[in-house]
Structures are given as structure tokens and as C-alpha cells.
Amino acid sequence: MKQTMAAKSRSKTISLLALFIGILCLYFPVTTTAVVAESGAAVDLLYLTLVWPGTLCRTGKCCMPTKGKPAIDFLIEDLKTMDQYGQIIQNSKPKCSFSINQMPSLIPDLYSNWCNLSCPCNNGFANWNNTWCAYGQCSQLNQTDYFIAAFNMTAKANLLNAFQVNNIVPSASTSYKLRDINTALMANPGLSTHIECVTVTDGASERTLLSKINICISADGLSFINCPFDIESTCNRELFFYPFNINQLNTDCDYNYVGSSGFIKMANEKHLAM
Ligand SMILES: *[C@@H]1O[C@H](CO)[C@@H](O)[C@H](O)[C@H]1NC(C)=O
Ligand SMILES: *[C@@H]1O[C@H](CO)[C@@H](O)[C@H](O)[C@H]1NC(C)=O
Ligand SMILES: *[C@@H]1O[C@H](CO)[C@@H](O)[C@H](O)[C@H]1NC(C)=O
Ligand SMILES: *[C@@H]1O[C@H](CO)[C@@H](O)[C@H](O)[C@H]1NC(C)=O
């Protein structure tokens, strides 16, 4: 496992420590979700997680949001604050206020590109609020700029286009080589990504499906940076990029399916006034 030592050390002690941790990491690669840095640690980068809805719909139930219409594209899950070792920095402020009215011009983008297709149907608000409260407030950006940064960088990454020009298009029958997917992503200058997959059983065989793409971004939200840490790969050498279309989304939002025991009646989520 390669470890790029992009550590911008602040002192000799820190650089020695970084070297030590770097050597450790050669043997024990850092996983992004395992560790949470102590609050007050410096935010070195933003970590944008984009999810492919076709995989969500293939591996579980997916639901039409109660507001807006999702883009047929990678969707924003969150924008984490991290240190250079890939430790998540979160909840650094005791109080949180999230106000959608501060950024009315972003509401259409929130509905189309930052929606939550999990069931039960929801309007996305809880995810925006939680993301801002957990991570956004630890960043150096104000609320509006934090959300703009996520949208700007998602548009700049233009993942579907990067795939398409390399003949990687959604398909339930054709698999792709992880190497070719990485090559397509690297063709986008400056883009540094971590790819995540999920495994599904398809009859007797197992398939890995492209699930998420994480992108490393500078702390000011303006540019792609080389990810200074690795994550353990969850992808096989061959993987699928499943199709997604709006018809896959369940619109029967009065019901919440609970495993094999059947359906339970759920109250319709109240639409938040915005
Ligand atoms: C998405 O919505 C589901 C169901 O409403 C909820 O359980 C889940 O926590 C949400 N995900 C995020 C990332 O907010
Ligand atoms: C937003 O999230 C914070 C922290 O997770 C929570 O305390 C607060 O109740 C949420 N606000 C709303 C309006 O849901
Ligand atoms: C957010 O920060 C930017 C840049 O510093 C500034 O132009 C903008 O007015 C700020 N917005 C709010 C709502 O504070
Ligand atoms: C977002 O992109 C626009 C247009 O490219 C640019 O003017 C703006 O400075 C960017 N803002 C942020 C916060 O990234």
C-alpha cells in the first residue's frame, strides 16, 4: 500500500511524528471511517463523498425524495473535514445552526444533487443539517461557501463525463476493470479519488458494484488535492457500474418496508416549509 507523505508539518516534532505514523501506515493503512480525531485538531482537507444511486437501488430499497427530482448523476452524500492522516474532524462546535434561507439560490441544487434516496422518502434536509453541523462548522468556510464548494467541486469532477469519454457507461451486463476506472478518473487533472464498492450476490456468483467515489479537496474548498492517505480498497479488479433511472425510485411513500415481516404504515413526513 503506497502512502504519499504530503504532510505539511508545522514543526520538527510533528514531522518526526508524521514520519513515524507514515511508516506505521505502510503496514496498517488508514481507513477513513475508523478514526475520529480529537476536536480542535487542524482541518487539512475536505473529503467529498459522491454516491452512485444505481448501486443504492440495486442493493436495497431506494425512494423518491418528497421534494424535487434527483439528477441522473452521482449525488453528494457529504463533505467531511479531515486531517492529513484521514482522521475525521467533527462536532467541533458545541452549538449548531443551519439555515436554508441563507442560501435560497442553492435550493434547486440541494434537491437535485444533494438528495437522500434512502427510504423512507425524505426531503434531504436532515442530511444537509447533519453534514453542516458535524463537519461544515469545523471547516474554515461559512455555510453558503461550504455548500457551494461541494457543488462546485462535484461539477468540476464531472465524473459521469470522465467515465463516458472512456467508454465507461452504466450497464447491468458489462463489467469494467478497476484499473480502467482509475485511468478515467486520473484523466481529470488534479483529481485524486478513493473508490468504494459493495458486493452483492447474483444467483451463485458475487459481483462488486461501484458505490461511492471520494475526492480530496483543499481546506478552502477551491481545488482538488492529492489524497494524503489511503483507504483499504473494497473493490475487486472487475466491477459493475449499474444503471440508474428515475423509475427505480419507490414513490409509495406512505409505506415503509420492514424486511420479510411485511409493511408497516408510516405517517407521511411533513414537508418542511422552506
Ligand atoms: C437518509 O434518509 C434515511 C431515511 O429517511 C435516514 O435514515 C438516513 O440517515 C439519511 N441519510 C443521511 C446521510 O442523512
Ligand atoms: C441539526 O442537526 C443538529 C446536530 O446533529 C441537531 O442538534 C439539530 O436538532 C438539527 N436541526 C434540525 C432542525 O433538525
Ligand atoms: C461567506 O464568506 C464569503 C467569503 O468570505 C463572503 O463573501 C460571504 O459574504 C459570506 N457569506 C455569509 C452569509 O456570511
Ligand atoms: C464556485 O464556482 C464559481 C464559478 O466557477 C466561482 O466563481 C466561485 O468562486 C466558486 N466558489 C466556491 C466557494 O468554491
Side-chain angles (χ1 to χ4, degrees):
M1 187 73 61
K2 259 186 282 162
Q3 174 77 14
T4 43
M5 291 299 302
K8 289 166 281 163
S9 308
R10 282 168 202 85
S11 71
K12 242 186 201 162
T13 320
I14 291 180
S15 65
L16 276 177
L17 184 65
L19 181 66
F20 177 68
I21 291 172
I23 290 166
L24 277 184
C25 290
L26 291 174
Y27 299 96
F28 309 102
V30 174
T31 54
T32 57
T33 46
V35 268
V36 173
E38 282 177 41
S39 68
V43 170
D44 296 312
L45 62 124
L46 299 174
Y47 196 71
L48 175 66
T49 300
L50 301 175
V51 295
W52 176 246
T55 297
L56 180 75
C57 290
R58 173 62 183 77
T59 55
K61 203 164 164 251
C62 57
C63 278
M64 182 65 115
T66 54
K67 284 216 173 189
K69 194 176 175 192
I72 306 294
D73 203 343
F74 282 86
L75 301 174
I76 299 172
E77 180 170 284
D78 58 34
L79 181 64
K80 291 190 181 74
T81 36
M82 285 191 178
D83 72 8
Q84 64 200 348
Y85 309 113
Q87 297 192 96
I88 297 166
I89 295 167
Q90 63 183 2
N91 302 325
S92 52
K93 301 257 163 70
K95 278 192 170 175
C96 175
S97 73
F98 171 75
S99 159
I100 196 133
N101 300 323
Q102 247 178 57
M103 40 185 204
S105 63
L106 297 185
I107 290 174
D109 288 338
L110 285 165
Y111 284 142
S112 58
N113 295 87
W114 200 327
C115 44
N116 177 354
L117 306 186
S118 298
C119 302
C121 302
N122 68 89
N123 62 11
F125 180 90
N127 188 17
W128 311 329
N129 175 64
N130 288 336
T131 299
W132 167 249
C133 289
Y135 313 117
Q137 284 209 325
C138 305
S139 76
Q140 55 176 256
L141 304 172
N142 62 33
Q143 188 197 293
T144 307
D145 277 4
Y146 174 79
F147 281 87
I148 289 178
F151 290 126
N152 271 11
M153 300 314 282
T154 301
K156 224 188 242 184
N158 206 354
L159 295 179
L160 272 190
N161 185 61
F163 283 157
Q164 201 168 19
V165 296
N166 286 280
N167 299 315
I168 296 166
V169 291
S171 166
S173 53
T174 307
S175 67
Y176 298 99
K177 289 192 166 55
L178 178 60
R179 194 183 56 217
D180 293 339
I181 287 183
N182 275 317
T183 304
L185 292 170
M186 283 186 297
N188 190 338
L191 196 63
S192 174
T193 56
H194 292 149
I195 304 176
E196 291 181 47
C197 292
V198 293
T199 303
V200 294
T201 37
D202 197 56
S205 63
E206 289 203 328
R207 284 183 163 189
T208 18
L209 316 184
L210 175 65
S211 161
K212 297 181 185 181
I213 296 185
N214 302 289
I215 304 176
C216 291
I217 293 168
S218 57
D220 63 9
L222 294 174
S223 37
F224 299 127
I225 57 164
N226 239 342
C227 292
F229 59 93
D230 275 334
I231 64 167
E232 261 173 287
S233 181
T234 46
C235 299
N236 289 346
R237 293 215 306 254
E238 289 279 333
L239 49 99
F240 284 86
F241 181 38
Y242 263 53
F244 171 63
N245 63 66
I246 285 292
N247 298 333
Q248 289 169 326
L249 296 170
N250 200 297
T251 51
D252 187 10
C253 294
D254 282 342
Y255 291 91
N256 180 33
Y257 187 64
V258 283
S260 52
S261 60
F263 291 93
I264 51 163
K265 185 102 171 98
M266 293 284 286
N268 237 334
E269 182 180 358
K270 267 214 186 96
H271 292 194
L272 277 127
M274 287 180 189

